[in-house]
Amino acid sequence: MTTSSDAVLGVFSESVPRRAAFEVLESTSAFVKDQVSPELVTAATKEGELNRFCKDHFKETCSRNENLGSNKMSKIGVKIEEVKMVVEQNINRVLQNAEDLEAVETKSEILRQDAAQFQRRGENIKRALWWRNFKLKCIIALLVIVVLCYIFVPIIAKM
């Protein structure tokens, strides 16, 4: 809480509700305005010199707000905050999973296209090898016929 002439700073645990933290800051600010004069502040030359003026107020404020964690409303508020955090984490996970799913879908589509192209190339290669094999068999058959003709034609001609 700040005004033109004072500043009050408080560090609170996450388990302390915001409303309670602001109440402590407001009461501390009001106490400093009412009880601690500017002359006392300017006269303070050593660290901790103003402690004697504030010690009782801080003890009272702390004891009054000490059981904030055991208050039912604050417990419910803390649980609500925990549930909100869990829900936020779950939402973030769902969004991350959706992004991951999109990436997997994209990769699977690419793989599907590559598989189709691979299959086409495989069929083309299979067809080319079949023709090569057919040509080779025809050449071998022709050679066998030529060799047989070379052997049997002179024998038949002699008879």
Side-chain angles (χ1 to χ4, degrees), residues 12 15-17 19-25 27-28 57-71 74:
F12 298 92
S15 63
V16 176
R19 188 181 71 211
F22 279 110
E23 286 176 8
V24 169
L25 289 175
S27 77
T28 302
H57 171 72
F58 287 132
K59 280 184 182 180
E60 178 187 329
T61 303
C62 289
S63 65
R64 184 176 55 214
N65 294 305
E66 186 174 13
N67 295 326
L68 286 175
S70 63
N71 184 352
S74 63

Side-chain angles (χ1 to χ4, degrees), residues 7-158:
V8 177
L9 172 69
V11 179
F12 298 92
S13 169
E14 287 182 11
S15 63
V16 176
R18 289 183 96 157
R19 188 181 71 211
F22 279 110
E23 286 176 8
V24 169
L25 289 175
E26 286 174 6
S27 77
T28 302
S29 176
F31 172 79
V32 168
K33 284 179 189 173
D34 295 341
Q35 302 294 326
V36 180
S37 66
E39 293 81 24
L40 284 174
V41 174
T42 55
T45 57
K46 296 185 220 167
E47 184 178 324
E49 200 168 322
L50 295 176
N51 284 355
R52 61 188 169 139
F53 295 105
C54 301
K55 193 181 242 183
D56 292 333
H57 171 72
F58 287 132
K59 280 184 182 180
E60 178 187 329
T61 303
C62 289
S63 65
R64 184 176 55 214
N65 294 305
E66 186 174 13
N67 295 326
L68 286 175
S70 63
N71 184 352
K72 283 186 179 182
M73 289 300 288
S74 63
K75 282 184 179 180
I76 291 172
V78 168
K79 286 187 180 185
I80 288 173
E81 290 299 320
E82 289 174 0
V83 169
K84 284 168 68 176
M85 291 297 292
V86 169
V87 168
E88 285 180 16
Q89 289 173 350
N90 289 341
I91 289 171
N92 288 338
R93 284 184 191 147
V94 166
L95 293 175
Q96 183 63 36
N97 288 343
E99 291 174 4
D100 293 345
L101 182 61
E102 289 175 8
V104 168
E105 286 176 349
T106 303
K107 288 178 182 179
S108 68
E109 184 61 33
I110 291 170
L111 284 174
R112 192 175 299 121
Q113 291 171 356
D114 289 347
Q117 185 178 11
F118 180 77
Q119 187 174 8
R120 282 192 304 273
R121 284 184 182 171
E123 289 171 358
N124 291 341
I125 290 172
K126 184 178 176 183
R127 202 174 301 120
L129 289 176
W130 183 85
W131 276 110
R132 183 183 292 172
N133 193 19
F134 178 74
K135 288 176 189 176
L136 187 63
K137 285 181 183 179
C138 287
I139 291 172
I140 290 174
L142 186 61
L143 283 175
V144 168
I145 291 173
V146 168
V147 169
L148 288 177
C149 284
Y150 182 73
I151 293 174
F152 289 116
V153 166
I155 294 177
I156 293 177
K158 281 187 180 180

